[in-house]
Amino acid sequence: MKIVIKVGTSTLTDKNGLLNKDYISELAKTIVGLQNDNNEILIVSSGAIGAGQGRLSLKERPKILREKQALAAVGQPIIMDAYSEAFAKYGKTVAQLLLTRDDFEDRMKYINARNTLRELTERGIIPVINENDTVAVEEINFGDNDTLAALVAAAVDADKLVIFTDVDGLYNGHPSKSNLIPRVEKITGEIESFATGNSASGKGTGGMKTKIIAAKIASASGTDTIIANGTRLGSLKEMITGNGICTVFNARKRFLEAKKTWIAFSKKPKGNIFVDKRACEALTGKGKSLLAAGIVKITGNFKRGDTVSVSDYDTRKDFARGLVNYDCGDLEKIKGKKTSEMKKIIEVTDDEIIHRDNLVIL
């Protein structure tokens, strides 16, 4: 079994904001136990900024970008030293991978990163993955490593994604006053309404909302997601088998193939294409490609090969993503036109605006 474990800042640091080396030691012991049961493990670790904050004895997390980047530069080697030391006790080797969103958006970089991760796990080496916060801009914001963990799980075809946090899972209200939801078959609007956008501890960048988004990505990729309290390391084996105190989000029974997972989640849309009802039905119900005749409106600034969202013009709801075959300027000229009419307006390179092989229904 291939398992991705995401550990957040609130789990990795103590009440004083310092890196909790005792916890990392216990985490290493637990992961080695999983490895000995023939599992491949990857760690997605937050905490670089928190570790830097603790090392510099700062009372508050900084808000200015360059300060966050500086703290990440201080904190990242501290975290890696702690992981390396903890796993070395068991004769295990760790590897550091620092990634940005661009590493997922660029197809070649994505494949290279995926191949590196697979090679490491096959050799029994534990990858420790984090966003490259010293250079990232948008990625340093809210929810970064929850999404990163889901994208990593999708890239390596993981069986399980475990997201450790500071509560036992998803509750149908405030954790102190509500019931824990043990299993989620499908992420509905009601399930999403139970999530809040803030970190309970105040140390992390996300909250339950970002973990639901991560579960959506993982589920669509064929990976079960487990949200659990990071202090319950002794119960991790039970959680992975569907027991224990946690919330399990089931993977879709019909999940996306690798390339379509990349299109749907790894690449950020550069614009929107709004289509009429007839086109919606053709794309969602008949598996057709998107043609210019069904397009009502476009927004954004995109080029051929970029990812765009496809939306229902009437409801404004996004229902698909795909790789577009035309620049936005040319598409503006030919929207609503039949293929025969397109040829009189621009130089036609493809009959389809988005080919069905490059289109994902969300």
Side-chain angles (χ1 to χ4, degrees):
M1 188 182 295
K2 189 170 292 184
I3 306 165
V4 175
I5 299 174
K6 186 264 179 177
V7 190
T9 302
S10 62
T11 306
L12 286 172
T13 55
D14 60 23
K15 62 181 180 180
N16 298 315
L18 298 174
L19 198 64
N20 189 338
K21 290 189 176 182
D22 289 338
Y23 179 83
I24 292 178
S25 179
E26 187 65 25
L27 177 64
K29 178 181 177 181
T30 303
I31 287 174
V32 170
L34 290 173
Q35 274 195 322
N36 291 338
D37 290 336
N38 296 317
N39 296 298
E40 296 179 355
I41 311 296
L42 302 89
I43 300 173
V44 175
S45 178
S46 300
I49 296 174
Q53 179 182 340
R55 174 60 61 89
L56 298 180
S57 301
L58 301 178
K59 293 183 179 180
E60 295 183 359
R61 186 183 179 92
K63 297 179 180 179
I64 300 174
L65 178 61
R66 67 174 183 271
E67 293 177 344
K68 294 179 183 178
Q69 292 172 325
L71 290 189
V74 172
Q76 192 60 42
I78 296 173
I79 287 178
M80 285 308 302
D81 283 347
Y83 278 118
S84 182
E85 181 181 335
F87 280 99
K89 295 177 184 178
Y90 304 95
K92 299 293 183 178
T93 301
V94 297
Q96 176 179 251
L97 279 86
L98 296 177
L99 302 172
T100 64
R101 187 81 191 204
D102 182 61
D103 295 316
F104 287 88
E105 292 200 3
D106 184 284
R107 181 69 175 166
M108 189 56 66
K109 289 182 179 179
Y110 175 80
I111 292 172
N112 287 338
R114 182 179 66 184
N115 289 343
T116 299
L117 290 169
R118 287 178 173 175
E119 181 67 21
L120 289 169
T121 55
E122 287 174 5
R123 290 176 177 268
I125 298 168
I126 300 100
V128 179
I129 306 152
N130 194 2
E131 290 216 63
N132 194 352
D133 287 343
T134 59
V135 298
V137 178
E138 186 174 351
E139 289 76 16
I140 213 166
N141 293 330
F142 175 81
D144 49 311
N145 275 355
D146 292 328
T147 301
L148 174 61
L151 292 174
V152 168
V156 300
D157 299 320
D159 299 286
K160 307 286 182 181
L161 167 62
V162 179
I163 300 179
F164 278 141
T165 184
D166 44 19
V167 292
D168 288 331
L170 178 66
Y171 289 79
N172 59 0
H174 192 279
S176 64
K177 304 175 183 178
S178 310
N179 296 320
L180 180 69
I181 302 172
R183 185 172 295 274
V184 175
E185 297 288 344
K186 183 179 179 180
I187 300 174
T188 62
E190 182 183 21
I191 291 295
E192 291 182 286
S193 72
F194 296 144
T196 61
N198 299 315
S199 169
S201 66
K203 297 179 182 178
T205 55
M208 193 57 65
K209 183 177 180 180
T210 65
K211 291 160 183 57
I212 300 297
I213 293 171
K216 275 187 174 182
I217 296 171
S219 175
S221 308
T223 302
D224 292 331
T225 302
I226 299 159
I227 298 178
N229 195 318
T231 63
R232 298 184 182 276
L233 289 175
S235 302
L236 184 54
K237 287 185 179 181
E238 288 77 13
M239 294 174 188
I240 289 170
T241 57
N243 302 306
I245 300 173
C246 61
T247 299
V248 179
F249 294 80
N250 287 350
R252 286 188 193 174
K253 293 180 180 179
R254 296 180 62 185
F255 53 86
L256 300 174
E257 60 186 55
K259 181 184 176 183
K260 291 204 170 185
T261 297
W262 174 72
I263 293 171
F265 302 116
S266 296
K267 289 173 66 64
K268 281 193 172 182
K270 298 294 181 65
N272 270 74
I273 295 177
F274 295 88
V275 301
D276 59 27
K277 183 177 181 180
R278 187 174 178 180
C280 285
E281 292 172 351
L283 297 177
T284 59
K286 300 177 181 179
K288 299 291 186 179
S289 299
L290 175 62
L291 303 178
I295 299 175
V296 180
K297 177 184 176 181
I298 67 169
T299 61
N301 184 17
F302 51 85
K303 300 177 182 178
R304 175 184 172 91
D306 282 342
T307 299
V308 295
S309 291
V310 183
S311 310
D312 184 321
Y313 181 73
D314 292 330
T315 65
R316 294 299 197 267
K317 182 179 179 181
D318 296 348
F319 67 88
R321 285 185 183 173
L323 304 181
V324 67
N325 287 329
Y326 288 91
D327 295 350
C328 57
D330 283 341
L331 194 52
E332 185 67 47
K333 298 175 184 177
I334 60 175
K335 69 182 185 211
K337 305 294 184 182
K338 296 179 180 179
T339 304
S340 58
E341 296 174 311
M342 288 167 49
K343 296 177 181 178
K344 299 175 183 177
I345 302 171
I346 64 168
E347 182 181 350
V348 174
T349 54
D350 296 273
D351 289 345
E352 303 89 358
I353 304 305
I354 302 176
H355 193 278
R356 62 186 179 185
D357 291 344
N358 293 325
L359 182 73
V360 183
I361 305 301
L362 299 176

